[in-house]
């Protein structure tokens, strides 16, 4: 049955295309980026676009990061935090929040639901669209981790993790890894096509851009 | 969902009823005008929009031209990454495959990400008949499901409902499906979204089976892509143990790189955002991250019929952004339900008759549900020439010959006779000129009467043109 339908669908496609003219290689005359190749401009744009979609954006240095993380957790009243494998230990050195490490025995969905916050690094950030990309690499963890807790703190390294545009981002990402592209906190336009922040994903997204 | 599209009247009748619904018209006008202006701003940000649009068109055209090759490549890549690929020739087969897969897990409920393909095949009803309950988790789909309603927009299926109506639906029905709406729920969109969050969270956390569609499937890598806003998609794609994705065969793109075009054009065309809040990509299964079983059901269900039509096949380029709905003067007034299909608006008017054929009254009427103004073509991010396809489909419907077309043919036959007999023609013209004082300002008869209700007939000249020409120029 299954094999029959496969052959049938492929057969119909071939039949349908018998008279179709050959199609040339697509022209790609669009721009690689809409932003000048200037680090400072790209960082400012990332900041602006993230904020435009209601992410809270902070800039700090490697040294001051642990204090900022502790402060952000306090500010949101987060007493428990999910920690992905591979997250630099120093980032949490100043917070007193209880840490739930997602290592040997994975946290269940219900355990994640009662965890207030999650902190991760990222694979990449895209300035033009105000997007951070997670690919479950070190310090990011599996996808559920950044989905169920209500506060997500994401740390972006300005030095080598920020690109200008979508066409610049894709070649740097590995499609075999599961990815989540995040542009601001969860939102919906389903009521009168008006954007409202905060539905099923984390309702608060804090992005920390770390410069030297 | 008890709402159904089966047995829908033809578009003119359904539209006639819809335009008399003042609330519906006000809701639609408000929503479509809001989004169309925002879209224009989002698109204007990109200086190379025209080139992105052209690239999107060409990538999709090339994909469709070699669709068999890309689907086989996709199948290999998905299988190599730990997924299982199923082929469904029609809706019944797709429903059967999904039902069997769910039954094999031993579960009797599933959570669903908004998906046009599963609506098209009536999956929820098919599952229900087998004792499996499907929970829609997209906010608008939830509103439609709770309200026992039908979707009326591709992106925002509950666009025909305003905040007050949504509040009433939540308050009256949520308790029957699970966690009731909070006491004293107001009609503020933020509170309504919060109510949906609370209502659905328990379902996400216990779900063992998720069902989705996909916006794109990458042939070279076997990667599926879902773009969304709320996070319900991420919940369904990530938390369950089994994931079943039902995807139309035209959703394949050849390469990972091709996404650089569509991830720029789709969000701006659809929700007028630079980027939608969440995009998920996955390739087969990944140990310790997300579902341990992944099934991809590739759906034909009339797509190969559309592919065989050299003019109509361009409709398969559609990436379901719904920009054409939001600018369409006919959609704005008639609403989505009048189209009798899950695909309303201009794209629905060309897609539905090709997927389902034109044997039913409503499907045969759809190519006429347009003023051919061309606004849909202007905003389409893959440059589907919707007016061209509409005219082409009208020709096909006319050739097949329905009731209206027999009258039209008789009229044309009569006028051919008159035009073939110059004496008859000039006598008729002179009589018309001589009696012009007696001509009515309005025309009688069906069609003509409506036309002249809001328009004056042009004045008849004092003498026929040919008589004037003879006197003055010869």
């Amino acid at each position: 049955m299954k094999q029959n339908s496969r052959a049938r669908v492929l057969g119909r496609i071939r039949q349908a295309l018998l008279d179709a003219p050959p199609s040339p290689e697509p022209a790609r005359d669009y721009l690689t980026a809409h932003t000048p190749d200037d680090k400072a401009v790209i960082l400012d744009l990332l900041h602006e676009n993230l904020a435009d979609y209601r992410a809270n954006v902070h800039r700090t240095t490697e040294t001051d990061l642990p204090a900022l993380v502790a402060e952000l957790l306090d500010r949101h009243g987060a007493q428990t935090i999910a920690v992905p494998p591979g997250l630099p230990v120093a980032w949490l050195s100043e917070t007193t929040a209880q840490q739930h490490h997602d290592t040997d025995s994975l946290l269940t969905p219900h355990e994640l639901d009662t965890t207030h916050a999650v902190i991760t690094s990222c694979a990449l950030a895209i300035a033009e669209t105000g997007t951070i990309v997670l690919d479950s690499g070190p310090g990011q963890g599996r996808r559920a981790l950044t989905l169920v807790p209500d506060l997500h703190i994401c740390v972006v390294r300005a030095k080598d993790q920020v690109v200008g545009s979508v066409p610049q981002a894709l070649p740097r990402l590995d499609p075999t890894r599961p990815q989540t592209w995040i542009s601001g906190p969860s939102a919906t336009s389903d009521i009168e096509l008006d954007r409202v922040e905060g539905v099923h994903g984390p309702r608060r997204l804090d992005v920390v851009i770390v410069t030297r | 969902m008890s709402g159904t599209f089966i047995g829908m009247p033809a578009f003119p009748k359904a539209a006639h009823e819809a335009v008399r619904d003042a609330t519906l018209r006000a809701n639609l006008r408000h929503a479509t005008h809001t989004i169309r202006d925002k879209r224009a701003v989002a698109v204007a940000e990109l200086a190379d929009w025209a080139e992105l649009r052209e690239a999107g068109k060409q990538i999709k055209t090339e994909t469709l031209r070699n669709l068999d090759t890309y689907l086989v490549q996709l199948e290999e890549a998905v299988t190599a990454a730990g997924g299982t690929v199923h082929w469904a020739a029609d809706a019944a087969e797709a429903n059967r495959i999904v039902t069997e897969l769910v039954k094999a897990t031993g579960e009797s409920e599933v959570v669903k990400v908004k998906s046009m393909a599963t609506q098209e095949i009536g999956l929820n009803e098919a599952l229900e008949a087998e004792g499996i309950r499907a929970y829609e988790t997209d906010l608008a789909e939830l509103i439609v499901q709770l309200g026992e309603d039908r979707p009326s927009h591709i992106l925002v299926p509950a666009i025909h409902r305003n905040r007050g109506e949504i509040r009433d639906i939540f308050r009256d029905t949520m308790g029957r499906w699970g966690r009731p709406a909070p006491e004293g729920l107001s009609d503020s969109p933020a509170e309504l979204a919060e109510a949906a969050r609370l209502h659905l969270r328990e379902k996400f956390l216990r779900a063992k089976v998720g069902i989705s569609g996909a916006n794109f499937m990458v042939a070279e890598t076997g990667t599926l892509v879902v773009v969304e806003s709320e996070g319900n998609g991420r919940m369904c794609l990530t938390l369950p143990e089994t994931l079943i994705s039902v995807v139309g065969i035209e959703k394949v793109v050849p390469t990972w790189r091709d996404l650089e075009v569509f991830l720029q054009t789709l969000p701006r065309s659809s929700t007028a955002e630079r980027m939608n809040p969440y995009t998920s990509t996955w390739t087969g299964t990944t140990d310790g991250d997300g579902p341990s079983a992944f099934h991809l059901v590739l759906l034909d269900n009339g797509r190969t019929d559309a592919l065989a039509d050299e003019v109509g096949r361009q409709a398969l380029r559609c990436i379901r952004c719904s920009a054409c709905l939001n600018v369409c003067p006919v959609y704005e007034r008639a609403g989505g339900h009048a189209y009798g299909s899950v695909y309303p608006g201009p794209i629905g008017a060309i897609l539905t008759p090709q997927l389902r054929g034109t044997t039913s009254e409503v499907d045969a009427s759809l190519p006429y549900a347009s003023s051919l103004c061309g606004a849909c073509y202007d905003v389409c991010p893959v440059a589907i020439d919707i007016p061209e396809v509409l005219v082409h489909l009208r020709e096909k419907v006319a050739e097949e010959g329905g009731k209206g077309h027999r009258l039209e043919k008789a009229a044309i036959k009569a006028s051919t006779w008159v035009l073939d007999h110059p004496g008859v023609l000039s006598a008729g013209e002179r009589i018309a000129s001589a009696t012009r004082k007696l001509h009515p300002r309005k025309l009688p008869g069906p069609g003509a009467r409506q036309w002249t209700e809001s328009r004056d007939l042009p004045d008849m000249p004092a003498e026929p043109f040919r008589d004037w020409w003879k006197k003055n120029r010869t």
Side-chain angles (χ1 to χ4, degrees):
Chain A
M1 172 84 88
K2 189 175 131 193
Q3 284 311 310
N4 281 348
S5 290
R6 181 183 189 277
R8 202 166 140 209
V9 173
L10 287 172
R12 282 180 187 168
I13 292 170
R14 286 168 190 144
Q15 184 67 31
L17 293 169
L18 278 180
D19 299 329
S23 185
E25 183 72 11
R28 295 177 191 269
D29 299 329
Y30 49 87
L31 302 172
T32 306
H34 305 82
T35 327
D37 187 19
D38 177 324
K39 195 112 229 175
V41 173
I42 290 174
L43 272 190
D44 285 346
L45 186 64
L46 175 68
H47 191 141
E48 189 186 317
N49 284 337
L50 279 164
D52 192 29
Y53 285 160
R54 306 289 191 279
N56 304 310
V57 190
H58 318 269
R59 295 205 202 189
T60 189
T61 60
E62 197 80 42
T63 323
D64 294 337
L65 177 62
L68 178 61
V69 169
E71 189 205 320
L72 291 176
L73 289 169
D74 271 353
R75 196 186 295 174
H76 293 297
Q79 287 151 16
T80 50
I81 184 163
V83 184
L87 192 91
V89 178
W91 291 5
L92 294 172
S93 58
E94 295 197 23
T95 179
T96 54
Q98 193 189 342
Q99 299 178 20
H100 295 170
H101 289 262
D102 189 55
T103 40
D104 303 331
S105 65
L106 299 179
L107 298 166
T108 66
H110 284 93
E111 282 167 343
L112 283 173
D113 193 37
T114 55
T115 305
H116 299 144
V118 59
I119 179 168
T120 68
S121 64
C122 71
L124 210 61
I126 307 168
E128 285 180 10
T129 55
T131 305
I132 52 175
V133 183
L134 308 183
D135 70 354
S136 61
Q140 299 167 50
R142 63 201 167 99
R143 288 169 287 170
L145 218 54
T146 50
L147 173 60
V148 185
D150 209 15
L151 166 66
H152 179 194
I153 300 174
C154 182
V155 179
V156 179
R157 213 162 49 221
K159 185 178 63 165
D160 57 355
Q161 287 182 328
V162 183
V163 298
S165 69
V166 173
Q168 289 168 337
L170 283 161
R172 290 185 45 169
L173 294 165
D174 177 358
T176 64
R177 307 177 73 98
Q179 292 173 20
T180 307
W181 295 37
I182 299 171
S183 310
S186 154
T188 183
S189 305
D190 280 356
I191 302 166
E192 300 177 6
L193 276 172
D194 219 3
R195 188 179 155 115
V196 181
E197 277 81 21
V199 200
H200 302 297
R203 285 178 289 187
R204 284 165 302 172
L205 173 66
D206 279 61
V207 178
V208 182
I209 301 173
V210 178
T211 49
R212 279 181 194 263
Chain B
M1 186 170 63
S2 69
T4 172
F5 286 112
I6 294 170
M8 280 287 293
F11 183 84
K13 185 166 187 294
H16 185 68
E17 278 157 26
V19 293
R20 285 190 307 199
D21 184 337
T23 309
L24 175 72
R25 284 191 63 169
N27 293 353
L28 279 171
R29 187 182 156 76
H30 170 70
T32 55
H33 281 252
T34 304
I35 194 72
R36 76 169 71 154
D37 297 341
K38 285 188 191 164
R39 177 206 158 270
V41 173
V43 165
E45 278 188 7
L46 299 185
D48 58 341
W49 185 259
E51 289 78 14
L52 284 165
R53 182 175 185 245
E54 183 61 25
K57 170 188 171 177
Q58 292 189 20
I59 290 168
K60 282 283 185 176
T61 303
E62 196 274 334
T63 308
L64 291 170
R65 179 62 189 82
N66 301 292
L67 189 58
D68 52 338
T69 311
Y70 289 127
L71 286 173
V72 170
Q73 192 187 4
L74 173 78
E75 179 186 39
E76 282 169 9
V78 170
T79 309
T84 309
V85 178
H86 310 260
W87 299 71
D90 55 28
E93 187 176 17
N95 286 333
R96 198 165 56 239
I97 292 168
V98 176
T99 305
E100 281 167 16
L101 289 171
V102 176
K103 280 187 172 171
T105 65
E107 294 294 317
S108 59
E109 62 177 41
V110 301
V111 286
K112 279 189 70 200
V113 195
K114 179 173 155 32
S115 135
M116 297 307 299
T118 60
Q119 275 180 29
E120 175 192 323
I121 62 176
L123 178 64
N124 291 6
E125 292 79 1
L127 289 172
E128 192 80 53
E130 297 287 327
I132 299 161
R133 179 157 265 202
Y135 294 112
E136 292 291 351
T137 64
D138 169 77
L139 179 51
E141 292 284 5
L142 177 70
I143 296 164
V144 168
Q145 188 172 46
L146 292 174
E148 299 189 353
D149 199 353
R150 282 176 282 119
S152 69
H153 189 278
I154 289 175
L155 175 73
V156 194
I159 195 171
H160 56 289
R161 299 288 197 186
N162 62 36
R163 59 188 72 190
E165 295 174 283
I166 295 167
R167 190 261 323 271
D168 294 348
I169 291 170
F170 278 11
R171 194 186 50 204
D172 299 344
T173 63
M174 268 186 170
R176 268 185 269 142
W177 289 77
R179 182 172 173 159
E183 283 292 318
L185 180 67
S186 84
D187 67 357
S188 93
E191 269 193 47
L192 295 171
E194 169 71 9
R197 176 186 175 92
L198 294 169
H199 178 75
L200 287 173
R201 180 132 305 213
E202 56 171 15
K203 296 187 167 57
F204 289 134
L205 296 180
R206 69 166 188 245
K208 295 283 183 279
V209 182
I211 295 181
S212 82
N215 295 92
F216 306 100
M217 309 184 281
V218 181
E220 68 170 351
T221 59
T223 307
L224 269 74
V225 182
V226 165
V227 305
E228 53 137 351
S229 296
E230 297 167 13
N232 65 305
R234 294 179 66 193
M235 293 277 179
C236 297
L237 300 170
T238 312
L239 296 181
E241 291 163 7
T242 300
L243 172 62
I244 304 166
S245 300
V246 181
V247 190
I249 50 175
E250 83 283 17
K251 289 298 179 77
V252 68
V253 294
T255 68
W256 176 246
R257 185 190 174 188
D258 293 329
L259 296 174
E260 73 187 17
V261 174
F262 301 111
L263 289 181
Q264 293 194 79
T265 53
L266 177 56
R268 288 178 199 260
S269 300
S270 184
T271 48
E273 292 165 308
R274 290 183 199 100
M275 189 64 86
N276 49 290
Y278 297 131
T279 299
S280 296
T281 77
W282 73 97
T283 305
T285 56
T286 305
D287 282 343
D289 188 348
S292 52
F294 170 56
H295 296 274
L296 171 60
V297 181
L298 294 172
L299 178 72
D300 179 348
N301 202 35
R303 284 160 177 75
T304 47
D305 292 333
L307 189 66
D309 186 314
E310 58 182 310
V311 178
R313 64 168 66 111
Q314 59 183 306
L316 298 175
R317 295 205 295 260
C318 176
I319 55 174
R320 310 281 189 267
C321 72
S322 65
C324 62
L325 278 62
N326 300 333
V327 297
C328 178
V330 176
Y331 175 85
E332 182 190 325
R333 286 159 182 85
H337 291 153
Y339 294 80
S341 154
V342 298
Y343 303 109
I347 187 63
I350 62 169
L351 203 52
T352 306
Q354 296 201 83
L355 295 180
R356 298 202 298 216
T358 49
T359 48
S360 80
E361 204 189 355
V362 61
D363 292 341
S365 71
L366 286 175
Y368 297 87
S370 168
S371 65
L372 301 181
C373 77
C376 48
Y377 172 55
D378 290 343
V379 297
C380 178
V382 285
I384 299 169
D385 192 340
I386 293 177
E388 181 191 18
V389 183
L390 284 167
V391 171
H392 170 73
L393 292 173
R394 287 178 188 186
E395 276 172 37
K396 284 180 81 168
V397 170
E399 275 164 24
E400 286 160 17
K403 196 173 88 191
H405 298 290
R406 280 196 293 276
L407 277 174
E408 184 187 316
K409 275 181 186 158
I412 290 189
K413 212 170 159 188
S415 61
T416 307
W417 181 78
V418 172
L419 293 167
D420 274 350
H421 296 75
V424 176
L425 179 63
S426 53
E429 284 171 351
R430 286 190 194 114
I431 291 167
S433 292
T435 59
R436 64 194 184 120
K437 291 269 182 313
L438 308 172
H439 293 176
R441 304 305 299 173
K442 308 270 177 232
L443 290 174
R449 187 171 54 239
Q450 286 90 328
W451 178 258
T452 53
E453 256 167 16
S454 56
R455 297 170 185 84
D456 285 330
L457 282 173
D459 286 330
M460 188 66 73
E463 60 184 342
F465 172 75
R466 289 191 299 178
D467 290 0
W468 176 88
W469 180 266
K470 259 184 218 157
K471 261 189 257 168
N472 294 292
R473 290 285 185 274
T474 53

